[in-house]
C-alpha cells in the first residue's frame, strides 16, 4: 500500500490540497491518505497570560482537541464524497507541524507529502502553505505542492526542470523512477539554460540516465528562470512539474514568497519536489 501524508490546518489552502489528494487516490488502488493536524501548546502558554490576559488551561486544551478532531472527521467525510473507496486516517498530534511530519515519516513508510501553496491574495492563508519550502527541506520523501488554482487532471505529461549540471549528483533517480513508473506519461526534460552552455559529458549522462522513459529534450534561455518554466508548462499543457531542490539556488527558493506567484499562483500546475 502507498501512503500519502496530508498536513492540514483547516484553511481553504489545506482543504484544496486534501481534495486534490482524494482525486489522485481515486485513479489508483491501494492508497492510504493520512490527514495530519498538529496542535502544539508550549509550557509557557499554560503559565503565562496572553495579550488578552488569558491563560491556556487544561479545559481549553481539551476543548480545542475535541474541536480539531471534529474538524478532521468533517474533512474526512468531504474526501469520502470524492472517493468513497478511499482509506483515510485522521491524526492529531501535540507537537509542532514540522516535528509531527518528521515523526510520522520515521514511524511508517510515507510515499508522498501533499500540501497546498497560498494564493496571491489569500484571505484564508495557510501556515502550512507559508512553510512549504521549509517542510520540503526537512522531509526525506517527495513533497507535492498544489497551487490554489490546480484542479486534478490525469497525469499524462510531466516536465522535469534541470540545468544539465552535475546530473549524477542532483537527479534522485530512485525517487524519479518510483514516481514515473506509476503513470503512463510523456516526459519532457527542460534545460533551464541555453544550448550554448551545455556540458556535453553531462548531457550524455542525463540521456543515459533517463533513456528508459524516452524523454523529449527542450531548452529555455528565458531571463527569468521561473517564468520560463511556467511559460513552457502552460504551452505544453503539462499536469506536473518536477523540480530538484538540492544545490541550485533558484530551486532552493522555489516556493519562497518572492517567486511563489510565478510558479504556484500564475500556474495551474502542481510542483513535485523530489529528494534523494
Amino acid at each position: 500500500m502507498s501512503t500519502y501524508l496530508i498536513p492540514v490546518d483547516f484553511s481553504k489552502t489545506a482543504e484544496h490540497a486534501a481534495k486534490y489528494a482524494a482525486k489522485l487516490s481515486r485513479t489508483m488502488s491501494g492508497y492510504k491518505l493520512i490527514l495530519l493536524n498538529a496542535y502544539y501548546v508550549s509550557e509557557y502558554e499554560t503559565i503565562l497570560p496572553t495579550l488578552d490576559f488569558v491563560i491556556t488551561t487544561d479545559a481549553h486544551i481539551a476543548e480545542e482537541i475535541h474541536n480539531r478532531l471534529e474538524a478532521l472527521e468533517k474533512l474526512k467525510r468531504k474526501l469520502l464524497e470524492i472517493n468513497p473507496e478511499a482509506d483515510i486516517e485522521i491524526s492529531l498530534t501535540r507537537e509542532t507541524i514540522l516535528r509531527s511530519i518528521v515523526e510520522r515519516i520515521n514511524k511508517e513508510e510515507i510515499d508522498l507529502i501533499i500540501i497546498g501553496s497560498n494564493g496571491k491574495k489569500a484571505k484564508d492563508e495557510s501556515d502550512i502553505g507559508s512553510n512549504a519550502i521549509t517542510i520540503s527541506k526537512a522531509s526525506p520523501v517527495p513533497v507535492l505542492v498544489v497551487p490554489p488554482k490546480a484542479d486534478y487532471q490525469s497525469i499524462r505529461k510531466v516536465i522535469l526542470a534541470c540545468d544539465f549540471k552535475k546530473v549524477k549528483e542532483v537527479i534522485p533517480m530512485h525517487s524519479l523512477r518510483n514516481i514515473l513508473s506509476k503513470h503512463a506519461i510523456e516526459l519532457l526534460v527542460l534545460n533551464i539554460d541555453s544550448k550554448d552552455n551545455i556540458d556535453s559529458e553531462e548531457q550524455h549522462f542525463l540521456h543515459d540516465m533517463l533513456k528508459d522513459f524516452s524523454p523529449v529534450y527542450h531548452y529555455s534561455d528565458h531571463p527569468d528562470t521561473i517564468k520560463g518554466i511556467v511559460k513552457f508548462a502552460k504551452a505544453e499543457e503539462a499536469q506536473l512539474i518536477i523540480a530538484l531542490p538540492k544545490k541550485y539556488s533558484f530551486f532552493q527558493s522555489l516556493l519562497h514568497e518572492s517567486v511563489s506567484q510565478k510558479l504556484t499562483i500564475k500556474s495551474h500546475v502542481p510542483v513535485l519536489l523530489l529528494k534523494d
Side-chain angles (χ1 to χ4, degrees), residues 56-117:
T56 303
T57 64
D58 290 342
H60 176 271
I61 292 173
E63 180 181 6
E64 184 66 22
I65 289 174
H66 173 76
N67 292 339
R68 287 171 180 257
L69 287 172
E70 281 195 338
L72 283 169
E73 288 288 356
K74 182 179 179 180
L75 180 55
K76 177 180 177 178
R77 290 194 294 270
K78 288 182 179 180
L79 301 190
L80 287 173
E81 291 177 2
I82 296 173
N83 181 10
E85 304 300 322
D87 179 4
I88 303 175
E89 174 188 336
I90 63 170
S91 177
L92 176 64
T93 75
R94 295 293 306 279
E95 300 288 350
T96 63
I97 186 61
L98 192 59
R99 186 179 183 89
S100 299
I101 291 171
V102 173
E103 287 185 349
R104 190 68 195 227
I105 292 172
N106 291 334
K107 178 181 176 182
E108 66 180 288
E109 185 174 350
I110 303 294
D111 297 277
L112 184 67
I113 297 174
I114 301 179
I115 59 179
S117 63

Side-chain angles (χ1 to χ4, degrees), residues 1-256:
M1 173 178 287
S2 297
T3 303
Y4 294 162
L5 181 64
I6 310 159
V8 297
D9 54 11
F10 310 121
S11 63
K12 291 181 180 178
T13 297
E15 181 174 324
H16 175 67
K19 289 180 177 178
Y20 185 97
K23 293 176 182 177
L24 178 62
S25 70
R26 189 171 56 189
T27 65
M28 296 168 282
S29 59
Y31 275 75
K32 176 182 177 182
L33 306 182
I34 301 174
L35 301 177
L36 174 68
N37 179 248
Y39 175 48
Y40 175 70
V41 179
S42 72
E43 61 178 304
Y44 298 104
E45 291 178 77
T46 62
I47 59 176
L48 296 177
T50 66
L51 294 177
D52 299 323
F53 298 99
V54 176
I55 295 178
T56 303
T57 64
D58 290 342
H60 176 271
I61 292 173
E63 180 181 6
E64 184 66 22
I65 289 174
H66 173 76
N67 292 339
R68 287 171 180 257
L69 287 172
E70 281 195 338
L72 283 169
E73 288 288 356
K74 182 179 179 180
L75 180 55
K76 177 180 177 178
R77 290 194 294 270
K78 288 182 179 180
L79 301 190
L80 287 173
E81 291 177 2
I82 296 173
N83 181 10
E85 304 300 322
D87 179 4
I88 303 175
E89 174 188 336
I90 63 170
S91 177
L92 176 64
T93 75
R94 295 293 306 279
E95 300 288 350
T96 63
I97 186 61
L98 192 59
R99 186 179 183 89
S100 299
I101 291 171
V102 173
E103 287 185 349
R104 190 68 195 227
I105 292 172
N106 291 334
K107 178 181 176 182
E108 66 180 288
E109 185 174 350
I110 303 294
D111 297 277
L112 184 67
I113 297 174
I114 301 179
I115 59 179
S117 63
N118 290 322
K120 181 178 180 181
K121 299 180 180 179
K123 295 181 180 179
D124 185 27
E125 190 167 280
S126 165
D127 288 337
I128 293 173
S130 299
N131 291 284
I133 196 66
T134 302
I135 292 172
S136 70
K137 286 180 179 180
S139 168
V141 302
V143 176
L144 180 66
V145 183
V146 183
K149 295 182 180 179
D151 192 16
Y152 177 75
Q153 300 180 55
S154 177
I155 299 175
R156 303 180 304 277
K157 187 179 291 189
V158 174
I159 295 171
L160 174 63
C162 61
D163 59 6
F164 286 33
K165 295 176 182 177
K166 299 183 179 180
V167 295
K168 284 187 175 181
E169 298 177 29
V170 174
I171 297 182
M173 282 305 300
H174 175 74
S175 296
L176 187 62
R177 288 184 183 277
N178 188 43
I179 294 294
L180 297 181
S181 63
K182 295 180 179 179
H183 305 273
I185 58 96
E186 177 183 354
L187 178 63
L188 308 181
V189 179
L190 178 64
N191 178 30
I192 46 87
D193 208 342
S194 66
K195 290 184 178 181
D196 297 334
N197 293 329
I198 294 177
D199 183 311
S200 59
E201 184 175 359
E202 293 292 330
Q203 183 180 27
H204 174 74
F205 284 146
L206 184 63
H207 281 244
D208 187 59
M209 291 168 68
L210 300 177
K211 62 183 179 181
D212 292 344
F213 304 107
S214 303
V216 178
Y217 291 85
H218 298 264
Y219 304 86
S220 171
D221 54 4
H222 197 289
D224 185 315
T225 300
I226 303 300
K227 284 185 177 179
I229 296 173
V230 171
K231 182 179 179 181
F232 182 76
K234 287 185 176 181
E236 293 292 336
E237 299 182 342
Q239 290 78 43
L240 182 68
I241 294 173
I242 297 178
L244 311 169
K246 189 166 184 181
K247 295 185 178 180
Y248 298 97
S249 60
F250 83 92
F251 280 136
Q252 290 271 348
S253 63
L254 193 58
L255 298 172
H256 283 310

